[in-house]
Amino acid sequence: MSFSAEVKEELVKKTGTARHCQIAELSALLGMCGHAVLLPDGGTGLSIQTENGAVSRKCFTLLEKTFNIDRDVVVVVDPYQKKGHVYPITISDPEWTMRILQAVKLRAQGDSAQGSLHLADHMVIQNNCCKRAFIRGAFLASGSISNPERSYHFEIVCQTGEKAEQIQRAIQAFDLDAKIVRRKRSHVVYMKEGAQIVELLGFMGANVALLDLENIRILKEMRNSVNRKVNCETANIHKTVNAAVKQIEDIRLIEEKVGLDGLASGLAEVAQLRLEFPEATLKELGTMLTPQVGKSGVNHRLRKLSDLARELRGNEEDGLWSRNS
């Protein structure tokens, strides 16, 4: 089971105790996967279709619990009709349809008595608890979350920009940075910041998934921290090795051209130690000197040797230029 499916499996079992929260969640579920349909007798019915059987069952349970619908007469649930893995619920009683749509503040798009539904009155999600239930319903109906082992990505796919903006405002009410992007014919509300996704899971009531994601996020941050330290140490080692190689080249040149015996005692001692201990750090070289010298003192002497080598190379180039002239 994917991480997204695990989150939905947990949220399906989470239902607000207050009726207004149940209505808010049902409003999101019906708005995302419900349609008003024209019945043969000219009345309006309600069709709800989802690809998730657990979500379909929750939608039915909310309808039954919130409105006390007589399912034997009004609601048709066909668990065997799984063509394309779609689980349909149909309410074919116009009176019950109107009662439900009025309670959840939904209406058909445009002036038609049929078609997709949209939230016509934001009073249904005025309270923060109702906003949480609304976001939970929208996610169950049309949301997904990526495996946090690979990346952090939370999204809810909406049919219209208006629905996307409604969900975005509900999420932003909790100071979370939800954004909208156009994807083909859909509008997608998404979040990509791990800590904020953790907060949103908590607001929706997915506490087990929250802990799982938080544990994964902490482990990933620890691994990233270790990798950064290792990369930093590796870079420092390379820097030290490259500097030592250049210092040895300079000392070899000085030894060849003028000899180390002609150098001041402090410079000669550092040069000899660098040749004997090419992998030693400046601090280690300083402890080998008599008397001991700090890192800055060793670095100062090595710079003097480098300057002398540069001068010798310059004289050599000048001599070659004179002979060629």
Side-chain angles (χ1 to χ4, degrees):
M1 184 183 293
S2 67
F3 184 75
S4 187
E6 290 176 1
V7 175
K8 289 191 177 184
E9 193 73 23
E10 181 181 0
L11 290 178
V12 161
K13 303 172 185 175
K14 179 75 175 180
T15 302
T17 55
R19 187 174 187 272
H20 51 81
C21 291
Q22 295 171 4
I23 287 177
E25 186 169 1
L26 193 54
S27 178
L29 285 165
L30 298 182
M32 300 300 286
C33 56
H35 290 79
V37 295
L38 194 61
L39 299 173
D41 61 2
T44 300
L46 186 60
S47 174
I48 306 154
Q49 294 189 343
T50 173
E51 297 178 359
N52 189 309
V55 174
S56 179
R57 288 193 299 273
K58 179 167 189 180
C59 190
F60 173 76
T61 302
L62 281 171
L63 284 169
E64 188 179 31
K65 181 183 296 186
T66 308
F67 297 101
N68 296 316
I69 296 177
D70 184 353
R71 62 178 179 179
D72 295 330
V73 178
V74 183
V75 181
V76 178
V77 182
D78 188 356
Y80 301 104
Q81 184 182 340
K82 298 181 181 179
K83 184 178 179 181
H85 301 288
V86 173
Y87 300 81
I89 299 174
T90 303
I91 299 176
S92 55
D93 187 306
E95 183 180 344
W96 273 109
T97 298
M98 288 299 103
R99 189 179 302 179
I100 293 168
L101 293 182
Q102 286 173 6
V104 298
K105 309 302 181 186
L106 292 174
R107 69 181 181 192
Q109 199 77 23
D111 298 327
S112 174
Q114 60 181 337
S116 61
L117 304 170
H118 76 284
L119 189 64
D121 188 342
H122 288 83
M123 288 293 291
V124 76
I125 53 173
Q126 184 176 19
N127 301 326
N128 281 341
C129 58
C130 295
K131 288 186 177 72
R132 295 188 186 100
F134 184 80
I135 297 167
R136 180 169 62 244
F139 175 76
L140 284 172
S142 190
S144 64
I145 182 170
S146 64
N147 185 345
E149 290 280 7
R150 294 195 292 269
S151 64
Y152 302 125
H153 184 83
F154 173 98
E155 71 175 34
I156 299 174
V157 181
C158 306
Q159 297 171 342
T160 66
E162 181 183 11
K163 290 182 180 180
E165 289 170 2
Q166 289 169 348
I167 295 170
Q168 182 189 39
R169 284 195 294 270
I171 294 175
Q172 288 178 340
F174 299 102
D175 295 324
L176 300 177
D177 187 22
K179 298 179 180 178
I180 297 176
V181 65
R182 186 75 181 267
R183 185 187 297 164
K184 296 182 180 179
R185 296 182 179 179
S186 303
H187 296 77
V188 182
V189 182
Y190 72 94
M191 295 170 59
K192 285 185 171 293
E193 210 282 310
Q196 294 206 351
I197 294 175
V198 167
E199 284 190 59
L200 187 57
L201 289 176
F203 290 138
M204 291 193 297
N207 296 319
V208 175
L210 179 156
L211 293 175
D212 290 341
L213 194 153
E214 189 72 327
N215 288 337
I216 292 171
R217 198 169 70 89
I218 291 171
L219 288 174
K220 286 177 70 174
E221 287 182 357
M222 288 176 61
R223 285 197 295 265
N224 291 337
S225 177
V226 170
N227 288 337
R228 284 194 296 271
K229 289 180 180 178
V230 169
N231 292 337
C232 184
E233 289 293 333
T234 302
N236 288 338
I237 290 171
H238 287 165
K239 184 178 178 181
T240 301
V241 169
N242 292 335
V245 169
K246 178 65 170 60
Q247 291 160 5
I248 290 172
E249 288 179 355
D250 291 341
I251 294 169
R252 292 293 185 196
L253 177 65
I254 295 170
E255 185 179 32
E256 179 185 343
K257 297 297 182 182
V258 298
L260 300 182
D261 295 338
L263 299 174
S265 60
L267 295 181
E269 189 178 4
V270 167
Q272 194 61 49
L273 285 173
R274 174 49 84 196
L275 293 177
E276 292 179 17
F277 304 99
E279 297 178 358
T281 64
L282 297 182
K283 184 177 180 180
E284 290 170 343
L285 289 176
T287 60
M288 298 177 193
L289 294 170
T290 306
Q292 293 186 1
V293 177
K295 284 175 59 178
S296 60
V298 174
N299 189 46
H300 177 70
R301 296 182 186 185
L302 288 171
R303 274 206 309 269
K304 281 191 171 183
L305 291 171
S306 177
D307 292 340
L308 177 57
R310 189 182 305 110
E311 184 179 339
L312 291 172
R313 289 190 184 95
N315 293 339
E316 188 177 55
E317 290 175 1
D318 289 343
L320 288 173
W321 183 81
S322 299
R323 286 196 296 273
N324 291 333
S325 300

